[in-house]
Amino acid sequence: MNSENACEVEQRDPRLAAGSAVVVATVGALGALTVWGRSGGPPGALAVDIAAGVLACVLAPVVLWRPVAGTLALTVLAALSPAATPAATFGALHVAQRRRFPVALAVGAAGVAGHAVQGLWRPEGGITYGWWLLVVALAYGALVGWGALAQARRALLASLRERARRAEAEQGRRVAEARMLERTRMAREMHDVLAHRLSLLATYAGALEYRPDAPPEKLAQAAGVVRAGVHQALDELREVISVLRDEDARDDDRPQPVLADLPALVAESRDAGGSVQLRDEVVEPAALPAAAGRTAYRVVQEGLTNARKHAAGRPVRVAVEGRPGTRLVIDIRNPLPPDGAVPLAPGTGTGLVGLTERVQLAGGRLDHEIAAGEFRLRAWLPWPA
């Protein structure tokens, strides 16, 4: 901040009025003591001291608004009379506290020069001129150093307050980002669940549509499965909506599927009429970390969902193998549908994208390709020893 801006700030400070009264009272009292101490001098000198003291009282408040100009004017008065010395030293201290060090040093040097002139024509009794000048120089040096120290302390406190404010804002931003990531993770989790559930419903609904001649008990059973699936889908949709609305919502207490739940997932697909073959060659599945097991479950779930959507009625082969200290490998394959076949349910193309992100976050890798007339989905997940 330059001098003009600093002065404008100071002019707007309501505390300056009270500060001016205090400064005038202090300077007036010290000046009166100085004049009284020198009252035994020549009559002409006494008149100069009184006039200088009065002018110093008038100019002292100016230091609060115009520190440099006001202090230099008081320094000139101090060269004429010791009655202006208290006001001049106060001005030097104020400049040192409010202005840059070079400016404060120049004002301090001007004060030493002014008192050097004062010492020449108004010598102090009981002390030589050299010692007088040394005392004055030390006094102004102490004032400049004191003011610089006070200014540095204020700057440090302001810097610490700003740093604390930024740290608080940064902490708030990190908390908001963490909440957003958590909500995104929850939404992705529920997307996988809903996509699986709705694809099963589409399968049952397709059976009702294309087999109207089925026995009544079979139709009733399929309709019951559809009704139950709809209720489950609505419950899960209601859950994800409440999660996304609640800033502090967490799903840590909700049971998460793991690798041991794969047989139940395959059985559910078989009940929907799908042909799924599971080859489980996992050694010590209980030793697999929960996060990796949950990711593996979602990979298989997404693979079965895609197979139902795009290759309905085609057999699906699922192979899972791995052991601690190596990695978990998931391989899902299904034959491609005939040319011109219409998907059972429309896809958005984002399922595999989200699945790839999920696997990568778990430290693994996911590939998918079409080869030898079949669609292949393959994932690798780390399995520490």
Side-chain angles (χ1 to χ4, degrees):
M1 180 184 295
N2 55 34
S3 300
E4 294 180 358
N5 292 337
C7 292
E8 291 176 0
V9 172
E10 290 172 350
Q11 286 177 345
R12 291 193 295 267
D13 193 342
R15 294 175 297 179
L16 286 179
S20 299
V22 174
V23 169
V24 170
T26 304
V27 169
L30 293 176
L33 289 176
T34 303
V35 172
W36 180 75
R38 290 178 170 267
S39 59
L46 181 60
V48 172
D49 289 341
I50 295 175
V54 173
L55 287 176
C57 290
V58 174
L59 291 176
V62 178
V63 174
L64 300 178
W65 281 273
R66 294 290 186 271
V68 176
T71 302
L72 291 178
L74 290 172
T75 300
V76 173
L77 286 178
L80 300 176
S81 170
T85 295
T89 52
F90 161 74
L93 177 61
H94 189 72
V95 169
Q97 291 177 338
R98 304 294 177 180
R99 296 295 181 262
R100 293 174 299 174
F101 183 75
V103 176
L105 191 61
V107 171
V112 172
H115 283 80
V117 174
Q118 180 195 123
L120 288 176
W121 80 283
R122 299 288 297 276
E124 292 287 337
I127 186 173
T128 63
Y129 180 74
W131 282 106
W132 155 256
L133 197 58
L134 178 61
V135 170
V136 170
L138 290 177
Y140 269 93
L143 291 174
V144 172
W146 183 12
L149 181 62
Q151 187 174 170
R153 180 177 179 275
R154 284 199 308 271
L156 176 61
L157 292 177
S159 175
L160 292 177
R161 283 193 294 267
E162 177 64 18
R163 188 178 302 177
R165 186 190 64 79
R166 291 182 179 179
E168 184 177 356
E170 181 70 13
Q171 179 66 17
R173 184 185 64 82
R174 289 179 180 177
V175 170
E177 289 182 354
R179 287 179 175 174
M180 182 59 67
L181 290 175
E182 181 72 8
R183 295 171 70 191
T184 301
R185 185 185 67 82
M186 294 178 185
R188 185 186 294 118
E189 192 83 10
M190 296 307 298
H191 164 269
D192 295 340
V193 174
L194 287 175
H196 172 72
R197 184 70 56 196
L198 294 177
S199 67
L200 288 176
L201 292 178
T203 301
Y204 280 108
L208 291 174
E209 179 182 2
Y210 292 107
R211 292 295 306 275
D213 57 341
E217 60 272 11
K218 292 291 184 181
L219 293 177
Q221 180 183 4
V225 172
V226 171
R227 180 178 59 81
V230 169
H231 283 299
Q232 290 178 346
L234 289 175
D235 291 338
E236 290 164 350
L237 182 60
R238 188 179 300 109
E239 180 179 356
V240 70
I241 291 176
S242 64
V243 165
L244 294 178
R245 283 179 176 175
D246 189 357
E247 290 288 343
D248 299 320
R250 295 185 59 86
D251 65 344
D252 294 343
D253 298 332
R254 184 166 57 89
Q256 297 293 324
V258 292
L259 191 64
D261 296 317
L262 283 183
L265 177 65
V266 171
E268 190 177 28
S269 295
R270 289 171 179 168
D271 292 342
S275 175
V276 183
Q277 178 185 355
L278 175 62
R279 181 168 58 88
D280 188 350
E281 297 181 358
V282 178
V283 180
E284 299 182 23
L288 182 67
R294 183 164 56 250
T295 302
Y297 182 94
R298 295 308 182 194
V299 170
V300 176
Q301 185 182 61
E302 183 67 22
L304 295 178
T305 300
N306 286 338
R308 280 194 300 270
K309 285 182 178 179
H310 304 289
R314 298 284 177 169
V316 184
R317 300 192 305 275
V318 180
V320 185
E321 59 182 357
R323 66 179 61 244
T326 58
R327 60 182 180 175
L328 182 68
V329 181
I330 305 167
D331 188 272
I332 305 174
R333 303 187 181 192
N334 62 269
L336 296 176
D339 293 338
V342 179
L344 182 63
T348 62
T350 60
L352 290 177
V353 174
L355 191 63
T356 301
E357 293 178 354
R358 180 192 293 272
V359 173
Q360 290 177 349
L361 288 174
R365 183 167 60 91
L366 184 138
D367 290 333
H368 55 87
E369 61 177 352
I370 296 176
E374 61 182 7
F375 180 80
R376 299 175 180 176
L377 181 66
R378 194 173 176 85
W380 296 265
L381 294 170
W383 190 345

